[in-house]
Amino acid sequence: MKFTLHIWRQPGPEARGQMMTYRIDGITGDMSFLEMIDVLNERLIKDGIEPVAFDHDCREGICGSCSMMINGLAHGPERGATTCQLHMRSFRDGDEIYIEPWRAKAFPVLRDLVVDRSAFDRIVQSGGYVNVNTGGAPDGNSLPIPKADADKAMDAAQCIGCGACAAACPNASAMLFVAAKVGHLGSMPQGQAEQSARVRTMIATHDREGFGHCTNIGECEAACPKEISTEFIAGLNRDYIASAVKSAVKGEARGGF
Amino acid sequence: MSATSSAINPKGPRTETATANPIAWVCDYLCSSVGQKVLVAITGTLLVTFVLFHMIGNLKMFAGPESINKYAYFLKHDLGAMIWIARGGLLGCFLLHLTLALWLKSRATAARPIGYAYGGNAQATPASKTMMQTGLVVGVFVLFHLAHYTFGTVHGVPSPDGKGETNYLDLQYKMPDGKMVHNVYAMVVAGFSTPWISLVYLLCQIVLFVHLSHGIQSAFQTLGLVNRRFVKVARALGVGIAGAIVAGNFAIVIAIWGGWVK
């Protein structure tokens, strides 16, 4: 298969970037998108050109490292797939493919397709955890959790923090990411204790990092390689309103009324 | 001086803690992106409620001049101070909805300084992506609507003798009990007998439908009232309410245009 690739090239964080065009052939449909770029990079190195920098790690769809906008869609056209799980058979021979980094103020481009996603780390640091006293492990059955709640927590916990939600959102909002973290912990009794404070601090960090607001467009849900539902955003909003009411009525936002 | 004046930590009024500050609550909750969009959703819901009842009240056009003129007189004269509370509340909702939405939009624009070279959508509806544009058109239309019918500055009723025109607000109607009231019926008929005015109203109603078809379901989502079971119901409710408002308002304009209401 032959392709014409338009790739964003930017030598460094402060440097000016531009779209560069490369032609590539000898690609098979069974190659993953990243393998196709590997082939391109081999050829660029042979020609004495700086290879295209991109993030990747596990290449099996679970780490969330590979992040690129492919023809205007985060992780490309396949549903529920990361870029590494996208195969070239999803494209037609001779296609033109536009490859861009995630675009958001909170995700500054470091080089080519690599962006700094530590904004997500700071959001998690501000509340995406539960405080537990270490000591002897409690009995596994001492805290009964309904299966439905465990399933819901697992649905949200699938989030791999790749940033596709914020990249795909027309408002560059990372609300689905925050909602997944808040929904994951809030579905469990261990997380409920701090849920009110968690939503407030995580949203405050989300805003401070420079992400936009959610206007319920739903592009995040479609882009998410783990197909996390925007229903978690509704849950986040519900918890946020509850936190505001608790804080106003009780003078503080802690678990329980 | 009392004996306690030499105490290192003297008794007195309670000491203030950080959580005792109501301003901090407002900054924490209402200044965040979620807090602001909740306010946009609440004010939007109040505005939709007004528009819905405004449309239902307008349907009294079909019940004849006496019915709608009596209703208009009741709203304007029998409610006393309530009408000013309602007007103040509406204005407050309108301004809050507008300013917060524009403020959020400016933050969202700043959140993506460099756009994508290749634009693409996986499933976004045009309505959801044009809320600001449709909202601004509706906002300008509301001002036009006020200038047209409330202040009577856009258009007048041509006098029967062909010379000059009568201001909308000077139209009078004699109730069966002999009381003279403002003739809202004649005013509406005169307005929608003019093709360009009817056209402006019909076009703006379509824009309003587009705005509300996303806005109503979006308010449900923002207020946390939907889940996987009811998300489709919220969507249907949004299109249904928006459709009902537009259909009711369309009916009045078309009925007058078509000569069924004279």
Side-chain angles (χ1 to χ4, degrees), chain A residues 71-72 98 100 103-105 166-167 169 200 207 210 213-219 230-231 234 237-238 240 243-244 247, chain B residues 19 25 28-29 32-34 37 104 107 110-112 114 116-118 120-124 214 218 221-222 224 226 228:
Chain A
N71 283 350
Y98 286 77
E100 297 173 79
R103 294 285 189 204
K105 191 174 136 213
C169 176
R200 180 174 56 78
D207 293 351
H213 67 301
C214 172
T215 53
N216 310 316
I217 290 172
E219 280 293 294
T230 52
E231 124 182 86
N237 295 336
R238 203 154 49 228
Y240 197 83
S243 172
S247 174
Chain B
T19 50
W25 183 89
D28 276 359
Y29 285 101
S32 76
S33 61
V34 177
K37 72 195 188 112
L104 283 170
R107 280 186 10 181
R112 178 164 295 139
I114 303 171
Y116 291 107
Y118 191 105
N121 279 331
Q123 58 91 47
H214 178 72
S218 183
Q221 166 84 359
T222 300
V226 290
R228 69 183 75 183

